Amino acid sequence: MKLRVQAGLAFILAVLVAATSPLCAQPSEPVLSSLPAHHSPDWLKSGVIYQVFVRSFSPSGDLKGVTARLGDLQALGVNIVWLMPIHPSGQMKKKGSLGSPYAVRDYYAIDTALGTADDLRRLVQEAHRRQMKVIIDVVANHTSWDSVMMAHPEFYKKDKDGHITYPYDWTDVAALDYSNPQLRRYMIDMLIHWIRDFDLDGFRCDAAAEVPTDFWEQARRELESVKPDIMFLAEAQKPELLKSAFDIDYAWPLMHTVDDVIMNGAPATRIRETIEQQRAFYPMGALHMRISDDHDELRATTRYGFPGAIAASVLMFTLDGAPLIYNGMEVGDSTQSRAPALFEPQKIFWDAAQWHPEYPKFYAAVASLRLHHTALQQGELMWVHNSDEQHVVSFLRRSDSEEFLIAVNLSNTSFRGTVEAAPGDWKEVEFPFSTKEAAAVPSISLNSFGARIFTRKTRQDQP
C-alpha cells in the first residue's frame, strides 16, 4: 500500500528542499551518508525480484498455481519471489468485491482461497530447490476492521473520542498503535512464526515508514537469531530504515523521474540528478529496488507505451540495487492492478506474449545478463556524457574485471551521436530487438526508445 503524496512524495520533497537549505550545513546528528548501510545478504545483491499477486497470477489463483510456474520464473532469471499478502482479507468496510489484500484479517492464517500451510511449504521447498528465495508481504501498520486482533482494542490507535481510527484516507483498515509493548511482542512473534515454520527468506514490509524504526530494528535482531541471512524490503523512502533494520527500499524518486522524462519531456539528465540526490541522504551502500511497474501504479506499458516500457526496464536492470518484475510484466501484460482493480478478480493476460513476443525474450535476456555479471549487480556506477542529454542517459558499470557501457534513449526521437567513453575493444550485448550495427564507440546510434549495451574486459588476464 503506497503512501503516495502523503508520505512517499512528501518525504522526497522534504529532502530535496533540505538539500538546498543552508540549515543543512551543520546537522545536529551525523549525516547518514557517512555511515554504512545494513550489511545485506549476497543473494539480495545479485537479486532479480518477481512480485506475485497470487490470486491473479495463475488460472487457479492460488499457491499451487505459483509453484507450478516456478520453473518459468527460474528460466526468466528470477531468484527472489515476493508473494503479495497471502492472509485472509477483511470483509468489513472492504473496498471492491474482494477487498484489499492489504487489509489483513489474521496474520497467522493463509487465505483458504489461496491454499493451505502445506501448499506454502511446498512452494518454498520447490523454490529453494531451484536456488530461489521466497519472501512474503507483511502489513504491520494496520489491520482489517474484522481482524482477530480487534479482541485487543488496546492494540489500536484511537481518535479524540476514543474510537479506533484509520490512517490517512484508508477507510478499509484500522491503525495499529506501536506505543503498546504487547502489540510489538505479538507482531515480532508473528514474524518469527513465518520464518521458523515455513523457512521463508524474509519480508516485504508494507508502509514501513509508518511503523516506528525501533520496532523494525528490534524485529530484525530477533529474526536474525532464527535465520541470519533474511531480507527486509521496506515499502518506504526513509533513509534511517536502511541503517540497521532494512536491506533495501523502493526507488520511488527514480521511477517518478522516469515518468517525468518519458511522459512530460523532462531532460534525461534528471536521472543522474535524482540518483545523486538520493545517495546524499542514504547510508553508504544502501540498496534500492529499481521499479517501473508495480501494484500501486498504472502499468508501465500504459504510462510509457510498449517500446518505452522496455527502455525503462533496461535502465532499472543495469543500475545498482535490485530490479523488480511485476506480475506479468515480462509478457507485456497491460491488465491494470492498482485501485480499484486491486480489489477485484482479474487475471494476468498471459497471451499478451503473442502480441509482443519481444517482451519475454527481452526480460529473460536482461535478467540473465545481470545475474551473470557482478559489474551489473553492485559494480561502480559512473556517469558519462553524450551528445543529446535531453533525451539520452548514458553510464558505465564497472567491476575489477569488466565494464559495461549503457545508453538508453528515453524519447521517441532517434539518436545519432557520441558518448564520452574511451574507444576500445567494446562488444555489443545482443538483445532480441537489437539492430545489427557495428560497435563504433564512442559513436553510437539509438532508435526511439532504443537502448544499447556494450561490454569489455578491464583486466588483460581475462579470457
Side-chain angles (χ1 to χ4, degrees):
M1 186 176 289
K2 184 177 172 185
L3 300 188
R4 298 201 182 278
V5 174
Q6 291 100 329
L9 294 182
F11 172 77
I12 296 162
L13 290 172
V15 296
L16 293 182
V17 169
T20 61
S21 171
L23 298 177
C24 283
Q26 294 181 334
S28 57
E29 298 180 3
V31 176
L32 280 174
S33 61
S34 66
L35 302 173
H38 184 273
H39 180 72
S40 301
D42 289 340
W43 58 262
L44 172 58
K45 294 177 182 178
S46 61
V48 173
I49 304 169
Y50 193 102
Q51 179 183 357
V52 178
F53 190 0
V54 177
R55 72 188 186 202
S56 70
F57 183 74
S58 67
S60 59
D62 56 15
L63 295 168
K64 289 181 179 178
V66 180
T67 303
R69 298 207 62 164
L70 285 175
D72 295 334
L73 296 182
Q74 182 184 28
L76 184 61
V78 171
N79 56 5
I80 303 171
V81 178
W82 152 26
L83 304 177
M84 287 172 62
I86 59 174
H87 312 296
S89 297
Q91 298 302 295
M92 185 183 295
K93 302 186 182 182
K94 69 179 179 181
K95 294 183 177 180
S97 63
L98 297 178
S100 171
Y102 291 94
V104 173
R105 200 162 71 237
D106 185 351
Y107 290 116
Y108 277 91
I110 295 174
D111 187 340
T112 55
L114 302 184
T116 66
D118 284 342
D119 292 335
L120 178 60
R121 288 191 181 96
R122 181 170 179 267
L123 191 162
V124 174
Q125 290 166 1
E126 288 298 309
H128 288 173
R129 187 170 66 83
R130 294 174 169 85
Q131 308 305 311
M132 302 165 74
K133 305 292 186 177
V134 182
I135 66 173
I136 64 169
D137 241 309
V138 61
V139 188
N141 179 58
H142 48 264
T143 73
S144 69
W145 289 98
D146 50 0
S147 167
V148 297
M149 292 171 66
M150 285 289 174
H152 297 276
E154 69 275 14
F155 285 180
Y156 290 87
K157 292 182 178 179
K158 312 293 197 303
D159 63 18
K160 59 182 177 60
D161 298 317
H163 301 129
I164 294 173
T165 190
Y166 52 86
Y168 303 107
D169 60 350
W170 305 343
T171 56
D172 61 331
V173 294
L176 291 169
D177 182 4
Y178 279 82
S179 68
N180 186 315
Q182 286 73 38
L183 170 68
R184 290 183 174 225
R185 188 68 259 158
Y186 182 97
M187 297 300 286
I188 291 174
D189 288 345
M190 178 271 295
L191 295 173
I192 291 172
H193 158 74
W194 288 103
I195 297 295
R196 178 176 287 151
D197 290 12
F198 293 89
D199 198 23
L200 289 163
D201 301 292
F203 300 99
R204 179 267 189 188
C205 301
D206 185 74
E210 299 300 291
V211 176
T213 300
D214 64 347
F215 166 78
W216 293 123
E217 291 171 339
Q218 179 185 353
R220 179 78 191 224
R221 288 192 297 271
E222 295 198 32
L223 284 161
E224 284 183 338
S225 70
V226 178
K227 192 169 189 176
D229 66 339
I230 59 169
M231 163 189 168
F232 266 33
L233 163 60
E235 191 211 18
Q237 270 281 297
K238 189 176 183 181
E240 70 178 46
L241 290 175
L242 272 69
K243 186 173 68 172
S244 57
F246 283 86
D247 301 284
I248 186 168
D249 70 357
Y250 274 59
W252 280 324
L254 178 63
M255 185 193 69
H256 293 307
T257 297
V258 173
D259 283 355
D260 212 19
V261 173
I262 294 180
M263 299 167 66
N264 302 322
T269 50
R270 289 272 309 280
I271 303 293
R272 173 179 180 174
E273 292 167 3
T274 298
I275 290 174
E276 291 183 345
Q277 286 165 349
Q278 290 295 291
R279 282 185 171 179
F281 288 94
Y282 273 84
M284 290 182 295
L287 301 178
H288 308 287
M289 185 171 70
R290 304 299 184 184
I291 63 172
S292 58
D293 202 346
D294 83 339
H295 69 272
D296 277 317
E297 308 296 331
L298 286 171
R299 301 305 297 265
T301 52
T302 300
R303 301 195 327 273
Y304 307 147
F306 286 93
I310 282 186
S313 285
V314 172
L315 195 61
M316 302 309 173
F317 271 81
T318 55
L319 287 168
D320 55 359
L324 175 72
I325 303 174
Y326 171 63
N327 211 53
M329 183 177 172
E330 72 273 22
V331 295
D333 177 39
S334 56
T335 303
Q336 296 305 322
S337 57
R338 70 173 189 172
L342 186 65
F343 318 128
E344 303 293 345
Q346 194 161 255
K347 299 292 186 184
I348 293 172
F349 184 59
W350 291 108
D351 287 344
Q354 298 177 18
W355 300 344
H356 300 281
E358 74 279 9
Y359 262 68
K361 294 176 182 177
F362 160 73
Y363 280 100
V366 75
S368 176
L369 182 70
R370 181 182 178 85
L371 284 171
H372 289 95
H373 294 277
T374 56
L376 290 175
Q377 295 164 13
Q378 295 303 312
E380 183 181 7
L381 170 63
M382 302 176 63
W383 301 98
V384 296
H385 292 291
N386 64 72
S387 55
D388 184 7
E389 297 193 333
Q390 175 69 25
H391 300 127
V392 176
V393 60
S394 48
F395 54 94
L396 295 170
R397 299 298 309 283
R398 178 178 292 169
S399 69
D400 290 340
S401 61
E402 61 183 345
E403 66 181 348
F404 287 83
L405 168 64
I406 299 99
V408 185
N409 186 357
L410 297 174
S411 77
N412 60 4
T413 302
S414 60
F415 171 79
R416 301 289 183 271
T418 59
V419 293
E420 289 187 3
D425 188 22
W426 291 101
K427 296 180 180 178
E428 183 159 10
V429 177
E430 292 189 8
F431 284 108
F433 55 80
S434 295
T435 302
K436 302 297 183 184
E437 297 184 40
V441 175
S443 296
I444 66 168
S445 61
L446 298 169
N447 294 329
S448 61
F449 295 113
R452 297 179 74 181
I453 300 175
F454 304 89
T455 184
R456 67 177 179 181
K457 301 297 180 183
T458 54
R459 276 212 315 249
Q460 296 301 316
D461 59 341
Q462 294 296 308

